[in-house]
Amino acid sequence: MDAATIALNNFEIHLQKNPYPGRGLVVGRSAVEDAWLIVYWIMGRSASSRNRQFVIEGSTLRTEPIDSSKMEDPSLLIYEAMLELPNVYLVSNGDQTRTIADLLQAGSSFDSALATREREPDAPNYTPRISAMLELQPSPAITLSILKANPFNPDLTDRFAYRPATPAPGFGVGLTTYQGDGNPLPSFHGDPLLLPLQGSQEYVLEAYWHALNVENLVSLAVKQISNVDGSSHIMVRNRYSA
């Protein structure tokens, strides 16, 4: 089976036909520009989870409440989802984005930064923390991580790191928090997914927006990063807004 078929199958099974993949990220290469793309989305079943939107501040993407008076517990819902350092681009589904950025600036590593964190403390789901780093220098490299509750003792965290080969233009590698809907929600399992990134930045945003479950999708963003000078641009779409 070729890469295009695998990517489309993953897109259909894990995203289009999956009512609740939860939060998700994809990092890969544009098919039409000399650029990289980072896709990130959030989903929500509760009123509090849906009371959010993406906000762009320069090169940073963050979540913010639409109505602060209705935000029950912001600790796992409000965070910086995308941050940049020189030649380094970060994305995650929680405040570990800031942990990674701060420790990288202090001279530590991606793995060491995440060694200080655990899966989310939201029993009984114990939502995985998914994170990714794109480095452009000295040569492009992608690192992904998922921190999950141990299936036999959820007080413990299983840690998985992946360093896939650079994907071909038009493809990316991704993780989601959940395998599907359920109670409790089943954590994502297996290797990162090969997924399509065909078309322009706007096309990719539209493709993922229309693929994800309309009832549960909250916000989606696509960051495009120039492979020439490292400059970036973020596009977002919010289902709910003030």
Side-chain angles (χ1 to χ4, degrees), residues 44-88:
R45 300 186 299 179
S46 70
S48 189
S49 290
R50 294 179 179 183
N51 180 34
R52 293 183 292 168
Q53 61 186 346
F54 280 161
V55 174
I56 304 167
E57 292 181 343
S59 61
T60 297
L61 177 76
R62 62 179 177 84
T63 64
E64 74 169 18
I66 297 168
D67 184 342
S68 298
S69 68
K70 297 179 179 179
M71 182 59 62
E72 296 177 2
D73 179 7
S75 62
L76 296 177
L77 299 176
I78 305 304
Y79 54 89
E80 297 157 311
M82 293 185 186
L83 288 169
E84 289 186 15
L85 301 172
N87 293 308
V88 175

mmCIF file of all heavy atoms in Angstrom, residues 44-88:
data_model
loop_
_atom_site.group_PDB
_atom_site.id
_atom_site.type_symbol
_atom_site.label_atom_id
_atom_site.label_comp_id
_atom_site.label_asym_id
_atom_site.label_seq_id
_atom_site.Cartn_x
_atom_site.Cartn_y
_atom_site.Cartn_z
ATOM 1 N N GLY A 44 -14.792 19.201 22.050
ATOM 2 C CA GLY A 44 -15.367 19.257 23.387
ATOM 3 C C GLY A 44 -16.772 18.704 23.427
ATOM 4 O O GLY A 44 -17.561 18.924 22.511
ATOM 5 N N ARG A 45 -17.070 17.989 24.513
ATOM 6 C CA ARG A 45 -18.422 17.466 24.722
ATOM 7 C C ARG A 45 -19.163 18.279 25.777
ATOM 8 O O ARG A 45 -20.378 18.379 25.739
ATOM 9 C CB ARG A 45 -18.367 16.000 25.128
ATOM 10 C CG ARG A 45 -17.697 15.090 24.098
ATOM 11 C CD ARG A 45 -17.789 13.627 24.491
ATOM 12 N NE ARG A 45 -17.133 13.341 25.765
ATOM 13 C CZ ARG A 45 -17.091 12.137 26.333
ATOM 14 N NH1 ARG A 45 -17.665 11.109 25.730
ATOM 15 N NH2 ARG A 45 -16.484 11.951 27.482
ATOM 16 N N SER A 46 -18.443 18.866 26.735
ATOM 17 C CA SER A 46 -19.071 19.623 27.813
ATOM 18 C C SER A 46 -19.204 21.092 27.432
ATOM 19 O O SER A 46 -18.513 21.607 26.544
ATOM 20 C CB SER A 46 -18.239 19.505 29.089
ATOM 21 O OG SER A 46 -17.016 20.210 28.947
ATOM 22 N N ALA A 47 -20.090 21.796 28.139
ATOM 23 C CA ALA A 47 -20.281 23.227 27.909
ATOM 24 C C ALA A 47 -18.994 23.994 28.193
ATOM 25 O O ALA A 47 -18.656 24.952 27.487
ATOM 26 C CB ALA A 47 -21.418 23.752 28.776
ATOM 27 N N SER A 48 -18.245 23.562 29.212
ATOM 28 C CA SER A 48 -17.002 24.246 29.561
ATOM 29 C C SER A 48 -15.951 24.075 28.464
ATOM 30 O O SER A 48 -15.250 25.015 28.101
ATOM 31 C CB SER A 48 -16.464 23.721 30.894
ATOM 32 O OG SER A 48 -15.380 24.500 31.351
ATOM 33 N N SER A 49 -15.855 22.865 27.909
ATOM 34 C CA SER A 49 -14.890 22.619 26.835
ATOM 35 C C SER A 49 -15.240 23.408 25.578
ATOM 36 O O SER A 49 -14.355 23.840 24.830
ATOM 37 C CB SER A 49 -14.835 21.122 26.502
ATOM 38 O OG SER A 49 -14.245 20.399 27.548
ATOM 39 N N ARG A 50 -16.537 23.586 25.344
ATOM 40 C CA ARG A 50 -16.974 24.322 24.153
ATOM 41 C C ARG A 50 -16.945 25.833 24.350
ATOM 42 O O ARG A 50 -17.109 26.578 23.387
ATOM 43 C CB ARG A 50 -18.372 23.861 23.756
ATOM 44 C CG ARG A 50 -18.397 22.408 23.288
ATOM 45 C CD ARG A 50 -19.787 21.935 22.927
ATOM 46 N NE ARG A 50 -19.767 20.559 22.462
ATOM 47 C CZ ARG A 50 -20.835 19.896 22.018
ATOM 48 N NH1 ARG A 50 -22.016 20.503 21.992
ATOM 49 N NH2 ARG A 50 -20.720 18.648 21.612
ATOM 50 N N ASN A 51 -16.713 26.263 25.572
ATOM 51 C CA ASN A 51 -16.641 27.688 25.890
ATOM 52 C C ASN A 51 -15.223 28.209 25.658
ATOM 53 O O ASN A 51 -14.616 28.845 26.513
ATOM 54 C CB ASN A 51 -17.072 27.897 27.352
ATOM 55 C CG ASN A 51 -17.030 29.351 27.768
ATOM 56 O OD1 ASN A 51 -17.301 30.253 26.973
ATOM 57 N ND2 ASN A 51 -16.666 29.586 29.019
ATOM 58 N N ARG A 52 -14.677 27.901 24.472
ATOM 59 C CA ARG A 52 -13.297 28.287 24.154
ATOM 60 C C ARG A 52 -13.182 28.687 22.696
ATOM 61 O O ARG A 52 -14.003 28.318 21.854
ATOM 62 C CB ARG A 52 -12.344 27.118 24.416
ATOM 63 C CG ARG A 52 -12.190 26.728 25.844
ATOM 64 C CD ARG A 52 -11.170 25.626 25.999
ATOM 65 N NE ARG A 52 -11.606 24.357 25.414
ATOM 66 C CZ ARG A 52 -10.816 23.309 25.220
ATOM 67 N NH1 ARG A 52 -9.533 23.384 25.528
ATOM 68 N NH2 ARG A 52 -11.290 22.192 24.705
ATOM 69 N N GLN A 53 -12.107 29.411 22.428
ATOM 70 C CA GLN A 53 -11.775 29.761 21.052
ATOM 71 C C GLN A 53 -10.259 29.902 20.944
ATOM 72 O O GLN A 53 -9.571 30.096 21.952
ATOM 73 C CB GLN A 53 -12.465 31.055 20.639
ATOM 74 C CG GLN A 53 -12.080 32.261 21.477
ATOM 75 C CD GLN A 53 -12.893 33.491 21.142
ATOM 76 O OE1 GLN A 53 -13.570 33.534 20.123
ATOM 77 N NE2 GLN A 53 -12.836 34.500 21.989
ATOM 78 N N PHE A 54 -9.752 29.793 19.712
ATOM 79 C CA PHE A 54 -8.341 30.039 19.453
ATOM 80 C C PHE A 54 -8.120 31.531 19.238
ATOM 81 O O PHE A 54 -8.924 32.210 18.577
ATOM 82 C CB PHE A 54 -7.882 29.294 18.197
ATOM 83 C CG PHE A 54 -7.581 27.837 18.411
ATOM 84 C CD1 PHE A 54 -7.538 26.972 17.322
ATOM 85 C CD2 PHE A 54 -7.326 27.310 19.661
ATOM 86 C CE1 PHE A 54 -7.258 25.626 17.481
ATOM 87 C CE2 PHE A 54 -7.044 25.970 19.845
ATOM 88 C CZ PHE A 54 -7.004 25.124 18.744
ATOM 89 N N VAL A 55 -7.003 32.018 19.760
ATOM 90 C CA VAL A 55 -6.586 33.406 19.576
ATOM 91 C C VAL A 55 -5.135 33.390 19.119
ATOM 92 O O VAL A 55 -4.310 32.632 19.646
ATOM 93 C CB VAL A 55 -6.736 34.213 20.883
ATOM 94 C CG1 VAL A 55 -6.163 35.611 20.720
ATOM 95 C CG2 VAL A 55 -8.205 34.292 21.292
ATOM 96 N N ILE A 56 -4.815 34.229 18.138
ATOM 97 C CA ILE A 56 -3.448 34.347 17.623
ATOM 98 C C ILE A 56 -2.804 35.595 18.217
ATOM 99 O O ILE A 56 -3.379 36.684 18.177
ATOM 100 C CB ILE A 56 -3.435 34.457 16.087
ATOM 101 C CG1 ILE A 56 -4.156 33.278 15.446
ATOM 102 C CG2 ILE A 56 -2.003 34.559 15.570
ATOM 103 C CD1 ILE A 56 -4.439 33.489 13.962
ATOM 104 N N GLU A 57 -1.602 35.437 18.764
ATOM 105 C CA GLU A 57 -0.812 36.564 19.245
ATOM 106 C C GLU A 57 0.573 36.443 18.631
ATOM 107 O O GLU A 57 1.428 35.730 19.144
ATOM 108 C CB GLU A 57 -0.737 36.572 20.769
ATOM 109 C CG GLU A 57 -2.071 36.859 21.443
ATOM 110 C CD GLU A 57 -1.973 36.881 22.958
ATOM 111 O OE1 GLU A 57 -0.970 36.362 23.500
ATOM 112 O OE2 GLU A 57 -2.894 37.408 23.598
ATOM 113 N N GLY A 58 0.779 37.108 17.492
ATOM 114 C CA GLY A 58 2.040 36.977 16.775
ATOM 115 C C GLY A 58 2.215 35.564 16.261
ATOM 116 O O GLY A 58 1.398 35.070 15.478
ATOM 117 N N SER A 59 3.247 34.885 16.716
ATOM 118 C CA SER A 59 3.501 33.499 16.305
ATOM 119 C C SER A 59 2.934 32.491 17.297
ATOM 120 O O SER A 59 3.141 31.285 17.136
ATOM 121 C CB SER A 59 5.008 33.274 16.156
ATOM 122 O OG SER A 59 5.676 33.490 17.398
ATOM 123 N N THR A 60 2.230 32.970 18.310
ATOM 124 C CA THR A 60 1.685 32.101 19.353
ATOM 125 C C THR A 60 0.199 31.846 19.120
ATOM 126 O O THR A 60 -0.548 32.765 18.789
ATOM 127 C CB THR A 60 1.879 32.740 20.742
ATOM 128 O OG1 THR A 60 3.275 32.866 21.008
ATOM 129 C CG2 THR A 60 1.241 31.890 21.833
ATOM 130 N N LEU A 61 -0.203 30.598 19.295
ATOM 131 C CA LEU A 61 -1.615 30.238 19.284
ATOM 132 C C LEU A 61 -1.984 29.834 20.700
ATOM 133 O O LEU A 61 -1.293 29.035 21.325
ATOM 134 C CB LEU A 61 -1.868 29.059 18.340
ATOM 135 C CG LEU A 61 -3.312 28.540 18.312
ATOM 136 C CD1 LEU A 61 -4.208 29.477 17.502
ATOM 137 C CD2 LEU A 61 -3.384 27.123 17.747
ATOM 138 N N ARG A 62 -3.079 30.398 21.213
ATOM 139 C CA ARG A 62 -3.523 30.029 22.545
ATOM 140 C C ARG A 62 -5.032 29.864 22.564
ATOM 141 O O ARG A 62 -5.737 30.321 21.663
ATOM 142 C CB ARG A 62 -3.096 31.063 23.594
ATOM 143 C CG ARG A 62 -3.679 32.447 23.395
ATOM 144 C CD ARG A 62 -3.226 33.393 24.497
ATOM 145 N NE ARG A 62 -3.725 34.739 24.293
ATOM 146 C CZ ARG A 62 -4.929 35.151 24.678
ATOM 147 N NH1 ARG A 62 -5.755 34.311 25.281
ATOM 148 N NH2 ARG A 62 -5.317 36.399 24.467
ATOM 149 N N THR A 63 -5.511 29.190 23.597
ATOM 150 C CA THR A 63 -6.950 29.100 23.824
ATOM 151 C C THR A 63 -7.346 30.174 24.824
ATOM 152 O O THR A 63 -6.550 30.560 25.695
ATOM 153 C CB THR A 63 -7.345 27.723 24.372
ATOM 154 O OG1 THR A 63 -6.745 27.536 25.652
ATOM 155 C CG2 THR A 63 -6.913 26.604 23.438
ATOM 156 N N GLU A 64 -8.566 30.643 24.703
ATOM 157 C CA GLU A 64 -9.089 31.565 25.709
ATOM 158 C C GLU A 64 -10.584 31.305 25.875
ATOM 159 O O GLU A 64 -11.256 30.834 24.947
ATOM 160 C CB GLU A 64 -8.843 33.015 25.338
ATOM 161 C CG GLU A 64 -9.703 33.574 24.247
ATOM 162 C CD GLU A 64 -9.602 35.098 24.108
ATOM 163 O OE1 GLU A 64 -8.639 35.691 24.611
ATOM 164 O OE2 GLU A 64 -10.502 35.674 23.475
ATOM 165 N N PRO A 65 -11.121 31.602 27.059
ATOM 166 C CA PRO A 65 -12.555 31.407 27.256
ATOM 167 C C PRO A 65 -13.355 32.428 26.466
ATOM 168 O O PRO A 65 -12.931 33.572 26.301
ATOM 169 C CB PRO A 65 -12.737 31.596 28.757
ATOM 170 C CG PRO A 65 -11.579 32.435 29.187
ATOM 171 C CD PRO A 65 -10.442 32.073 28.267
ATOM 172 N N ILE A 66 -14.511 32.003 25.987
ATOM 173 C CA ILE A 66 -15.425 32.934 25.339
ATOM 174 C C ILE A 66 -16.155 33.745 26.400
ATOM 175 O O ILE A 66 -16.282 34.962 26.294
ATOM 176 C CB ILE A 66 -16.421 32.168 24.446
ATOM 177 C CG1 ILE A 66 -15.662 31.446 23.317
ATOM 178 C CG2 ILE A 66 -17.469 33.107 23.859
ATOM 179 C CD1 ILE A 66 -16.502 30.449 22.562
ATOM 180 N N ASP A 67 -16.600 33.070 27.444
ATOM 181 C CA ASP A 67 -17.273 33.714 28.568
ATOM 182 C C ASP A 67 -16.599 33.220 29.842
ATOM 183 O O ASP A 67 -16.804 32.070 30.260
ATOM 184 C CB ASP A 67 -18.763 33.366 28.572
ATOM 185 C CG ASP A 67 -19.536 34.095 29.661
ATOM 186 O OD1 ASP A 67 -18.898 34.600 30.614
ATOM 187 O OD2 ASP A 67 -20.774 34.152 29.572
ATOM 188 N N SER A 68 -15.752 34.065 30.448
ATOM 189 C CA SER A 68 -14.981 33.650 31.619
ATOM 190 C C SER A 68 -15.866 33.223 32.779
ATOM 191 O O SER A 68 -15.482 32.363 33.581
ATOM 192 C CB SER A 68 -14.060 34.793 32.071
ATOM 193 O OG SER A 68 -13.125 35.110 31.063
ATOM 194 N N SER A 69 -17.053 33.795 32.865
ATOM 195 C CA SER A 69 -17.949 33.467 33.975
ATOM 196 C C SER A 69 -18.468 32.038 33.892
ATOM 197 O O SER A 69 -18.952 31.492 34.878
ATOM 198 C CB SER A 69 -19.124 34.442 34.015
ATOM 199 O OG SER A 69 -19.982 34.269 32.894
ATOM 200 N N LYS A 70 -18.373 31.426 32.716
ATOM 201 C CA LYS A 70 -18.860 30.065 32.518
ATOM 202 C C LYS A 70 -17.726 29.041 32.472
ATOM 203 O O LYS A 70 -17.975 27.861 32.216
ATOM 204 C CB LYS A 70 -19.687 29.974 31.246
ATOM 205 C CG LYS A 70 -20.947 30.832 31.271
ATOM 206 C CD LYS A 70 -21.714 30.719 29.966
ATOM 207 C CE LYS A 70 -22.984 31.570 29.998
ATOM 208 N NZ LYS A 70 -23.730 31.492 28.708
ATOM 209 N N MET A 71 -16.497 29.464 32.728
ATOM 210 C CA MET A 71 -15.343 28.569 32.702
ATOM 211 C C MET A 71 -15.161 27.957 34.082
ATOM 212 O O MET A 71 -14.772 28.642 35.028
ATOM 213 C CB MET A 71 -14.088 29.336 32.271
ATOM 214 C CG MET A 71 -12.831 28.502 32.157
ATOM 215 S SD MET A 71 -12.913 27.133 30.981
ATOM 216 C CE MET A 71 -13.175 27.988 29.429
ATOM 217 N N GLU A 72 -15.472 26.662 34.214
ATOM 218 C CA GLU A 72 -15.456 26.006 35.513
ATOM 219 C C GLU A 72 -14.035 25.787 36.027
ATOM 220 O O GLU A 72 -13.729 26.098 37.168
ATOM 221 C CB GLU A 72 -16.197 24.676 35.418
ATOM 222 C CG GLU A 72 -17.675 24.824 35.095
ATOM 223 C CD GLU A 72 -18.367 23.491 34.928
ATOM 224 O OE1 GLU A 72 -17.695 22.444 35.098
ATOM 225 O OE2 GLU A 72 -19.575 23.476 34.627
ATOM 226 N N ASP A 73 -13.163 25.209 35.219
ATOM 227 C CA ASP A 73 -11.793 24.927 35.648
ATOM 228 C C ASP A 73 -10.868 25.153 34.461
ATOM 229 O O ASP A 73 -10.775 24.300 33.572
ATOM 230 C CB ASP A 73 -11.670 23.499 36.162
ATOM 231 C CG ASP A 73 -10.242 23.165 36.600
ATOM 232 O OD1 ASP A 73 -9.391 24.079 36.626
ATOM 233 O OD2 ASP A 73 -9.975 21.990 36.916
ATOM 234 N N PRO A 74 -10.175 26.303 34.417
ATOM 235 C CA PRO A 74 -9.351 26.611 33.249
ATOM 236 C C PRO A 74 -8.021 25.873 33.188
ATOM 237 O O PRO A 74 -7.324 25.944 32.182
ATOM 238 C CB PRO A 74 -9.113 28.116 33.399
ATOM 239 C CG PRO A 74 -9.152 28.342 34.876
ATOM 240 C CD PRO A 74 -10.191 27.377 35.402
ATOM 241 N N SER A 75 -7.653 25.124 34.234
ATOM 242 C CA SER A 75 -6.293 24.584 34.319
ATOM 243 C C SER A 75 -5.929 23.658 33.163
ATOM 244 O O SER A 75 -4.768 23.623 32.732
ATOM 245 C CB SER A 75 -6.098 23.847 35.650
ATOM 246 O OG SER A 75 -6.983 22.740 35.752
ATOM 247 N N LEU A 76 -6.904 22.907 32.634
ATOM 248 C CA LEU A 76 -6.625 21.992 31.532
ATOM 249 C C LEU A 76 -7.198 22.486 30.208
ATOM 250 O O LEU A 76 -7.055 21.810 29.186
ATOM 251 C CB LEU A 76 -7.190 20.601 31.843
ATOM 252 C CG LEU A 76 -6.575 19.881 33.042
ATOM 253 C CD1 LEU A 76 -7.283 18.560 33.280
ATOM 254 C CD2 LEU A 76 -5.087 19.686 32.873
ATOM 255 N N LEU A 77 -7.825 23.655 30.217
ATOM 256 C CA LEU A 77 -8.522 24.141 29.027
ATOM 257 C C LEU A 77 -7.877 25.378 28.409
ATOM 258 O O LEU A 77 -8.003 25.610 27.208
ATOM 259 C CB LEU A 77 -9.989 24.459 29.372
ATOM 260 C CG LEU A 77 -10.836 23.283 29.877
ATOM 261 C CD1 LEU A 77 -12.226 23.773 30.273
ATOM 262 C CD2 LEU A 77 -10.939 22.197 28.822
ATOM 263 N N ILE A 78 -7.199 26.184 29.211
ATOM 264 C CA ILE A 78 -6.625 27.440 28.724
ATOM 265 C C ILE A 78 -5.102 27.319 28.751
ATOM 266 O O ILE A 78 -4.495 27.114 29.798
ATOM 267 C CB ILE A 78 -7.093 28.629 29.589
ATOM 268 C CG1 ILE A 78 -8.628 28.668 29.642
ATOM 269 C CG2 ILE A 78 -6.525 29.929 29.053
ATOM 270 C CD1 ILE A 78 -9.312 28.739 28.283
ATOM 271 N N TYR A 79 -4.483 27.459 27.586
ATOM 272 C CA TYR A 79 -3.044 27.247 27.478
ATOM 273 C C TYR A 79 -2.543 27.764 26.132
ATOM 274 O O TYR A 79 -3.330 28.070 25.235
ATOM 275 C CB TYR A 79 -2.711 25.753 27.606
ATOM 276 C CG TYR A 79 -3.476 24.874 26.634
ATOM 277 C CD1 TYR A 79 -2.974 24.602 25.360
ATOM 278 C CD2 TYR A 79 -4.709 24.328 26.980
ATOM 279 C CE1 TYR A 79 -3.689 23.813 24.460
ATOM 280 C CE2 TYR A 79 -5.422 23.535 26.089
ATOM 281 C CZ TYR A 79 -4.904 23.287 24.833
ATOM 282 O OH TYR A 79 -5.609 22.523 23.943
ATOM 283 N N GLU A 80 -1.228 27.844 26.005
ATOM 284 C CA GLU A 80 -0.586 28.167 24.730
ATOM 285 C C GLU A 80 -0.411 26.867 23.957
ATOM 286 O O GLU A 80 0.274 25.960 24.409
ATOM 287 C CB GLU A 80 0.772 28.830 24.976
ATOM 288 C CG GLU A 80 0.678 30.155 25.709
ATOM 289 C CD GLU A 80 1.959 30.519 26.428
ATOM 290 O OE1 GLU A 80 2.500 29.654 27.160
ATOM 291 O OE2 GLU A 80 2.413 31.667 26.267
ATOM 292 N N ALA A 81 -1.031 26.782 22.796
ATOM 293 C CA ALA A 81 -0.975 25.547 22.014
ATOM 294 C C ALA A 81 0.200 25.515 21.041
ATOM 295 O O ALA A 81 0.701 24.437 20.712
ATOM 296 C CB ALA A 81 -2.275 25.358 21.246
ATOM 297 N N MET A 82 0.622 26.677 20.538
ATOM 298 C CA MET A 82 1.761 26.764 19.627
ATOM 299 C C MET A 82 2.690 27.879 20.093
ATOM 300 O O MET A 82 2.250 29.004 20.352
ATOM 301 C CB MET A 82 1.314 27.059 18.196
ATOM 302 C CG MET A 82 0.539 25.967 17.508
ATOM 303 S SD MET A 82 0.189 26.405 15.764
ATOM 304 C CE MET A 82 -0.861 25.037 15.270
ATOM 305 N N LEU A 83 3.969 27.549 20.203
ATOM 306 C CA LEU A 83 4.998 28.519 20.558
ATOM 307 C C LEU A 83 6.193 28.341 19.625
ATOM 308 O O LEU A 83 6.398 27.261 19.065
ATOM 309 C CB LEU A 83 5.459 28.323 22.010
ATOM 310 C CG LEU A 83 4.479 28.735 23.114
ATOM 311 C CD1 LEU A 83 4.979 28.239 24.471
ATOM 312 C CD2 LEU A 83 4.297 30.242 23.133
ATOM 313 N N GLU A 84 6.974 29.409 19.490
ATOM 314 C CA GLU A 84 8.167 29.368 18.642
ATOM 315 C C GLU A 84 9.396 29.807 19.422
ATOM 316 O O GLU A 84 9.338 30.706 20.252
ATOM 317 C CB GLU A 84 8.007 30.308 17.439
ATOM 318 C CG GLU A 84 7.032 29.851 16.401
ATOM 319 C CD GLU A 84 7.027 30.751 15.162
ATOM 320 O OE1 GLU A 84 7.981 31.556 15.010
ATOM 321 O OE2 GLU A 84 6.083 30.662 14.374
ATOM 322 N N LEU A 85 10.505 29.140 19.097
ATOM 323 C CA LEU A 85 11.842 29.565 19.460
ATOM 324 C C LEU A 85 12.631 29.662 18.151
ATOM 325 O O LEU A 85 12.143 29.213 17.110
ATOM 326 C CB LEU A 85 12.490 28.558 20.406
ATOM 327 C CG LEU A 85 11.770 28.297 21.734
ATOM 328 C CD1 LEU A 85 12.430 27.136 22.475
ATOM 329 C CD2 LEU A 85 11.753 29.544 22.592
ATOM 330 N N PRO A 86 13.831 30.214 18.144
ATOM 331 C CA PRO A 86 14.591 30.266 16.891
ATOM 332 C C PRO A 86 14.753 28.877 16.267
ATOM 333 O O PRO A 86 15.320 27.970 16.878
ATOM 334 C CB PRO A 86 15.931 30.852 17.324
ATOM 335 C CG PRO A 86 15.587 31.718 18.501
ATOM 336 C CD PRO A 86 14.515 30.949 19.228
ATOM 337 N N ASN A 87 14.203 28.701 15.067
ATOM 338 C CA ASN A 87 14.288 27.449 14.307
ATOM 339 C C ASN A 87 13.599 26.269 14.988
ATOM 340 O O ASN A 87 13.812 25.121 14.603
ATOM 341 C CB ASN A 87 15.758 27.087 14.023
ATOM 342 C CG ASN A 87 16.404 28.068 13.081
ATOM 343 O OD1 ASN A 87 15.883 28.360 12.013
ATOM 344 N ND2 ASN A 87 17.550 28.600 13.487
ATOM 345 N N VAL A 88 12.763 26.545 15.975
ATOM 346 C CA VAL A 88 12.050 25.490 16.691
ATOM 347 C C VAL A 88 10.583 25.893 16.803
ATOM 348 O O VAL A 88 10.267 27.013 17.209
ATOM 349 C CB VAL A 88 12.636 25.254 18.097
ATOM 350 C CG1 VAL A 88 11.794 24.245 18.870
ATOM 351 C CG2 VAL A 88 14.073 24.765 18.004
#
